[in-house]
Amino acid sequence: MKEKARYTLIAELVLGIFFYLFLYLNPGLRHQLWLQHNEVFLLIFFSPLLVLMLLLELWQKKPPKVDTFNRWLMIIFWPLLSLGGWIELMNVVVKIWPRMGAIVAFIFLLIGLVWLIPFAIAVGAEVKWTVSRLILVFWMMENLMEICTLGHIPGNKFFNTILSTGLWAAFAYTIWACFLVRGWGYNFDFNLKFKTSINFSDGVLAFLIVFGIVDIIWNAFGGYGNNLFSVLFSYHVDPMKFTLNSFSQAAEAGIMEEMNRYLVIIVLLYALRKTKWQVSMTIFISALFFGLLHFTNFGWQKLAPTIAQAASAFSIGLFFAVLYLYTGKLWLTMLMHFWVDFLIFLQENGDHPGTWNGSTGEWLVAIISVVVPVCIYLWMITGKRKLVMQENSSRILQPLNNNLMY
């Protein structure tokens, strides 16, 4: 299968080269795309690298160092140049046949969902080192979100929304990740079946689910007041209105960010497999990455609310990682993550930049948002609860049979 993926990758390279050559020869169309979004200039500027990638990929017996160079060249530039070029081609076809815009978008975006599968099998699967794998999974997430900004179908609210909010990118990332994990030798299991264990407790499971529901409600409607009692028990609901944008934004976060967490957990569990802190450190580091990821909001909002948001994201990241490792249910963390964001986005101004005025109430909310999940994390990494997560970690890392691998 790896050889077939390589041939498909070569075909995609050739198609990409022809597309950018077409843009070079059509300055009028190139100018129109540039007016739509300036990123097309960077795509055209770096497109000659596709020729270099093609030549190196066709070189059958290249030295190991050249092979490594080409792998990282493709990791850095291939997703944006290739899939970004595919989305630009969609824009071109829509301009030529505007009445067919919806059909064209459906076909192109459907193909785009599986476009990176050959890349996952032939390139991503060859990345072996922990730091390299972490760079790959985060770099791909950022690239796919950037690619979404390139697509625009005039007059089509549905496709423009799923692109602009990143929902399409979330599905593409998930499909890519499934094949990547398989290439690394693991079987992606969205719903790890419960395994009979004397360490497992229905009470602990019920507690985690109840806390998750309470936390969702409190994050969406609670945290009002200037004393501990009012912050915990005062609730307020702003005017709520369902929109495709609010649903799509929340779904993107639930799917893509939890898929990214799963990939990070896989990488860390393997890297720490010989240590007694495998589970506890995997949870902590994955949550730390999740918190740091939210610093990308700095600029869109001020520093103080960004720090508060990153700290809150770190703590809820601890809970989501614990929930996943205790249950083995990735869909459960995706669902909870979706509802956390969706109930906020439904409210008026729910998707506006965060604010921070340093009031007693805001400090209490920030402290509670961090302290409670941290306490749950410390409780979960002790006793039989930790043993359950260790058992599930071993099952998550269970290698595929050789005949099932690429």
Side-chain angles (χ1 to χ4, degrees):
M1 188 170 181
K2 186 171 288 189
E3 195 63 22
K4 291 180 181 178
R6 179 173 171 271
Y7 289 138
T8 306
L9 197 63
I10 290 172
E12 290 177 351
L13 275 164
V14 172
L15 181 60
I17 291 169
F18 275 114
F19 169 68
Y20 286 109
L21 184 61
F22 173 70
L23 283 187
Y24 277 118
L25 298 176
N26 288 268
L29 181 60
R30 185 172 69 246
H31 181 66
Q32 288 181 40
L33 293 176
W34 183 82
L35 289 176
Q36 188 170 307
H37 38 73
N38 297 342
E39 291 91 338
V40 72
F41 171 77
L42 291 176
L43 294 181
I44 295 171
F45 180 80
F46 285 108
S47 60
L49 289 175
L50 291 174
V51 177
L52 177 60
M53 294 179 201
L54 177 62
L55 294 175
L56 292 176
E57 196 60 38
L58 290 173
W59 186 358
Q60 291 282 359
K61 296 182 179 180
K62 49 184 172 286
K65 288 185 178 180
V66 175
D67 186 52
T68 301
F69 169 78
N70 188 43
R71 184 179 307 125
W72 280 100
L73 186 68
M74 296 195 76
I75 287 172
I76 295 170
F77 293 104
W78 171 255
L80 197 57
L81 286 177
S82 175
L83 189 53
W86 181 253
I87 298 299
E88 289 291 5
L89 181 59
M90 176 188 73
N91 295 337
V92 170
V93 176
V94 167
K95 285 181 180 294
I96 296 173
W97 294 307
R99 293 184 180 181
M100 301 287 287
I103 296 175
V104 169
F106 176 78
I107 294 172
F108 271 77
L109 294 180
L110 189 63
I111 295 173
L113 288 176
V114 299
W115 187 267
L116 293 174
I117 291 177
F119 171 76
I121 298 172
V123 179
E126 295 301 312
V127 178
K128 306 298 183 183
W129 298 100
T130 300
V131 174
S132 301
R133 286 180 171 182
L134 290 173
I135 292 172
L136 173 63
V137 299
F138 281 106
W139 181 249
M140 280 299 300
M141 184 168 67
E142 292 302 312
N143 269 262
L144 281 167
M145 291 299 291
E146 183 65 28
I147 288 166
C148 269
T149 66
L150 301 177
H152 181 71
I153 302 91
N156 194 303
K157 182 179 179 181
F158 175 78
F159 286 115
N160 286 330
T161 299
I162 66 170
L163 281 169
S164 63
T165 59
L167 181 57
W168 176 83
F171 285 115
Y173 186 75
T174 299
I175 293 170
W176 170 80
C178 292
F179 285 86
L180 177 70
V181 169
R182 193 177 182 86
W184 286 344
Y186 311 116
N187 183 31
F188 170 68
D189 198 333
F190 186 73
N191 182 45
L192 195 67
K193 293 181 180 179
F194 284 121
K195 187 176 181 181
T196 304
S197 169
I198 59 173
N199 299 313
F200 187 84
S201 168
D202 291 332
V204 173
L205 175 61
F207 169 78
L208 291 175
I209 293 175
V210 169
F211 173 78
I213 295 171
V214 171
D215 188 66
I216 289 169
I217 296 171
W218 186 71
N219 270 285
F221 309 121
Y224 291 90
N226 281 310
N227 58 69
L228 183 60
F229 184 85
S230 61
V231 164
L232 289 174
F233 300 107
S234 295
Y235 292 84
H236 171 76
V237 181
D238 289 332
M240 301 177 72
K241 181 182 179 181
F242 174 84
T243 63
L244 178 60
N245 193 73
S246 63
F247 175 84
S248 188
Q249 276 185 294
E252 177 274 322
I255 295 171
M256 177 172 273
E257 291 179 13
E258 291 308 309
M259 197 67 211
N260 176 262
R261 191 190 318 282
Y262 165 78
L263 290 174
V264 171
I265 285 175
I266 282 277
V267 172
L268 293 175
L269 283 177
Y270 181 77
L272 300 168
R273 65 193 182 282
K274 294 182 180 180
T275 71
K276 62 180 180 180
W277 307 289
Q278 181 196 32
V279 169
S280 57
M281 288 303 297
T282 291
I283 295 170
F284 183 86
I285 296 172
S286 67
L288 185 61
F289 278 128
F290 185 61
L292 292 174
L293 194 63
H294 285 73
F295 275 101
T296 57
N297 290 328
F298 178 55
W300 176 67
Q301 62 187 16
K302 294 182 179 179
L303 181 60
T306 302
I307 293 174
Q309 186 183 53
S312 178
F314 162 73
S315 58
I316 199 63
L318 291 174
F319 173 72
F320 282 140
V322 162
L323 181 64
Y324 171 62
L325 288 179
Y326 195 81
T327 65
K329 313 293 184 184
L330 187 59
W331 60 265
L332 183 57
T333 62
M334 286 182 173
L335 189 62
M336 284 194 175
H337 195 146
F338 164 77
W339 280 107
V340 167
D341 286 6
F342 185 53
L343 290 178
I344 294 173
F345 293 151
L346 276 180
Q347 299 178 70
E348 189 177 37
N349 301 326
D351 58 350
H352 285 199
T355 58
W356 179 270
N357 57 34
S359 67
T360 302
E362 285 190 330
W363 275 106
L364 285 171
V365 169
I367 292 169
I368 292 168
S369 297
V370 173
V371 170
V372 176
V374 168
C375 288
I376 292 174
Y377 159 71
L378 294 174
W379 176 63
M380 288 295 295
I381 60 172
T382 60
K384 291 183 177 181
R385 297 169 295 278
K386 179 181 179 180
L387 295 178
V388 172
M389 292 192 289
Q390 287 176 334
E391 292 166 1
N392 283 337
S393 297
S394 298
R395 295 166 64 202
I396 291 168
L397 288 181
Q398 188 67 38
L400 289 169
N401 294 329
N402 289 334
N403 60 336
L404 295 177
M405 294 178 64
Y406 299 135

